[in-house]
Amino acid sequence: MNATPSGSPPLIPYPDWASNVAGDCANGLSTVYRIKADKCDRLWVLDTGTVGIGNTTQQLCPYALNIFDLKTNRKLRRYELRPEDTNPNTFIANIAIDMGRSCEDTFAYMSDELGYGLIAYSFEQNKSWRFAHSFFFPDPLRGDFNVAGLNFQWGEEGIFGMSLSPIQADGFRTMYFSPLASHREFMVSTKVLRDEAGVEESFHQFQYLKERGPNAHTTSRVMSESGLQLFNLIDQNAVGCWHSSLPYSPEYHGIVDRDDVELVFPADVKIDEEDNVWVISDRMPVFLIAELDYSDVNFRIFSAPLSTLVSGTVCDVQPSFPRAGAVQPKFGENDLATFPGTTLVPTGYTQPISYTPTSYAPTTAPVTKYASPAYDSPASPVYTTQQFPTTAKAYHFNKYHGVEYQTHGNGQGNYHHGGHDHGHHGGHHYWNGAANRKQDSWKQYFY
């Protein structure tokens, strides 16, 4: 960055060009959708092995996890998924890394968005297995999307974003997840996912939570070591938050930032070891459904301190006791155990220290942060210098806002290239935080 006055430096292939040759299955990377770095200085790279878009998609290589040593930039391992881990509809769009007692005791969880499965991989055993569950399927009532003035349908999108809690009292984490075509959150203990023998007998170990609210589709989420979850809200050009010591309901969800120009499709969210938040935005639906203006800035990287972003939101919680894990409803009311206060804990989960949720009352009354942004037509300032092409257009009625928008393309809105390209490149930003904008004195732009 220091050597690039424009603030938009050329991107460097990782680890080198020779390792980024499509179709070189043993040595190269074809199409990488998600990466995760862990505390053992390893980079986990999920390669779909596909090239192309829509009907031109080719599966050049099997799905594979590539694990690099960040100290040497050398590949430690490449693991190809077993045939039993996938099906003809498979598109694996995300990974979560679960570190246990050592670097060897690490698991990767991969969400099969279009094949509706969850794949667990043990680094120690160098082995994988696949879970199936109805919670991995899309909600048929939540397949309509509205992003930056574009209305489209992604009704087939199943399990996508995942986040992992800190290690709980029982020595395991809680995984939170949701399908893309859904507003509802689900959860399961990693004790279940780490046990290959539980693949056939774990249905009732998965639990459902409440919906986030309207316009609450999300593809990416992450949870801090203090139990604070951040998640992208792609319909709202925003990043949301929730603290896992509070009930999972819309009144306890906040918005840490919203920007109708720079946060159009905030594709991925991460928190580093110093509690800095990183977000990449890429205007992906415009790329798929309309047409990007490459003279404009389309890809951005943002960074800001986590504490600054959540300050003043309902998520700004400071626990006064060791975390006992998230406390959430299970399948039905009959399975709920009541602890002191008004919080419900799923049967089988423990809470060693009682507490009263009212001790976490925010400084301002909780409010639901999900009012839909009022979009103008695509020629509005939503895209600054960007205009839609004057070629053939399809007109979509946006039922949420009662106006018509123009989109370029065939008008169907269900574009696939072995799944969706939810991850891209970009420049670097320090960005505003909280629903009420932070001061711009610490906001820097690098395009």
Side-chain angles (χ1 to χ4, degrees):
M1 294 301 301
N2 293 338
T4 310
S6 69
S8 187
L11 301 182
I12 303 167
Y14 183 87
D16 49 44
W17 276 118
S19 301
N20 284 272
V21 178
D24 183 359
C25 300
N27 305 302
L29 301 170
S30 296
T31 297
V32 172
Y33 272 81
R34 284 296 186 275
I35 58 176
K36 301 284 184 182
D38 67 22
K39 292 183 178 180
C40 295
D41 291 319
R42 296 173 299 194
L43 185 69
W44 298 69
V45 178
L46 173 63
D47 186 6
T48 67
T50 60
V51 171
I53 185 172
N55 294 332
T56 69
T57 301
Q58 302 177 60
Q59 188 80 43
L60 300 182
C61 301
Y63 279 90
L65 268 179
N66 296 267
I67 306 169
F68 293 88
D69 183 342
L70 286 170
K71 294 179 179 178
T72 64
N73 297 327
R74 294 181 178 178
K75 188 183 296 185
L76 297 173
R77 182 180 297 179
R78 179 178 183 272
Y79 178 81
E80 289 187 6
L81 297 190
R82 306 172 308 149
E84 304 96 301
D85 293 331
T86 62
N87 61 42
N89 297 318
T90 286
F91 176 69
I92 301 172
N94 218 330
I95 55 175
I97 305 303
D98 170 22
M99 290 191 61
R101 65 187 183 277
S102 67
C103 294
E104 287 291 310
D105 181 28
T106 303
F107 283 72
Y109 307 120
M110 294 160 275
S111 54
D112 187 348
E113 176 193 7
L114 300 179
Y116 311 135
L118 180 63
I119 301 154
Y121 166 75
S122 167
F123 184 83
E124 190 170 20
Q125 301 176 51
N126 196 31
K127 186 179 182 182
S128 57
W129 48 89
R130 179 185 175 96
F131 289 84
H133 201 286
S134 55
F135 290 173
F136 302 158
F137 283 74
D139 183 337
L141 302 179
R142 300 290 183 241
D144 195 37
F145 289 71
N146 293 274
V147 178
L150 300 173
N151 173 243
F152 52 93
Q153 289 70 50
W154 283 346
E156 298 177 354
E157 316 305 308
I159 180 173
F160 202 115
M162 301 171 288
S163 67
L164 292 167
S165 75
I167 294 177
Q168 310 293 285
D170 63 356
F172 298 94
R173 303 179 190 270
T174 298
M175 175 195 278
Y176 297 92
F177 66 90
S178 68
L180 175 50
S182 174
H183 293 164
R184 187 177 296 277
E185 191 86 344
F186 301 89
M187 62 184 280
V188 65
S189 171
T190 58
K191 181 178 182 179
V192 174
L193 302 180
R194 283 168 163 255
D195 183 7
E196 181 182 8
V199 168
E200 302 296 334
E201 302 293 336
S202 61
F203 183 88
H204 292 285
Q205 301 300 316
F206 288 78
Q207 304 169 46
Y208 65 87
L209 310 180
K210 290 185 177 181
E211 289 195 318
R212 285 176 290 279
N215 295 325
H217 298 108
T218 177
T219 66
S220 179
R221 74 278 307 280
V222 63
M223 185 169 284
S224 73
E225 290 298 322
S226 64
L228 197 158
Q229 185 189 80
L230 297 181
F231 47 91
N232 64 351
L233 291 164
I234 60 176
D235 305 84
Q236 301 185 47
N237 305 326
V239 177
C241 64
W242 165 68
H243 200 286
S244 58
S245 64
L246 301 173
Y248 194 91
S249 56
E251 63 267 30
Y252 293 107
H253 295 173
I255 298 291
V256 302
D257 197 32
R258 177 188 283 118
D259 193 314
D260 291 339
V261 175
E262 298 188 348
L263 279 179
V264 174
F265 210 86
D268 209 354
V269 183
K270 287 179 167 56
I271 301 174
D272 66 23
E273 290 186 351
E274 297 178 351
D275 270 352
N276 293 310
V277 179
W278 298 81
V279 173
I280 186 168
S281 68
D282 60 22
R283 294 181 175 173
M284 190 269 292
V286 183
F287 169 76
L288 289 178
I289 297 172
E291 185 171 314
L292 286 178
D293 176 2
Y294 288 99
S295 67
D296 195 7
V297 176
N298 296 293
F299 313 106
R300 295 174 169 90
I301 294 174
F302 301 83
S303 181
L306 176 60
S307 59
T308 303
L309 291 175
V310 302
S311 177
T313 72
V314 69
C315 312
D316 191 6
V317 170
Q318 301 296 327
S320 57
F321 64 93
R323 279 186 40 76
V327 283
Q328 303 300 339
K330 198 182 176 185
F331 270 100
E333 295 299 324
N334 293 333
D335 289 330
L336 296 172
T338 304
F339 282 73
T342 59
T343 304
L344 298 175
V345 178
T347 302
Y349 279 67
T350 61
Q351 179 161 316
I353 302 178
S354 301
Y355 71 99
T356 304
T358 54
S359 64
Y360 296 107
T363 54
T364 57
V367 293
T368 303
K369 302 282 189 176
Y370 293 95
S372 300
Y375 291 115
D376 297 322
S377 65
S380 75
V382 166
Y383 290 111
T384 58
T385 63
Q386 190 156 308
Q387 299 289 333
F388 278 73
T390 56
T391 55
K393 299 174 181 176
Y395 292 84
H396 292 275
F397 181 72
N398 186 322
K399 65 182 180 181
Y400 287 107
H401 304 296
V403 295
E404 288 187 343
Y405 296 118
Q406 298 178 353
T407 64
H408 176 60
N410 65 13
Q412 298 303 308
N414 47 356
Y415 291 74
H416 286 280
H417 44 107
H420 299 306
D421 189 5
H422 294 297
H424 294 288
H425 339 302
H428 172 225
H429 297 240
Y430 287 89
W431 96 102
N432 289 351
N436 298 319
R437 296 283 183 171
K438 307 293 182 189
Q439 295 181 358
D440 283 349
S441 59
W442 54 276
K443 181 177 181 181
Q444 302 180 41
Y445 295 93
F446 303 93
Y447 294 118

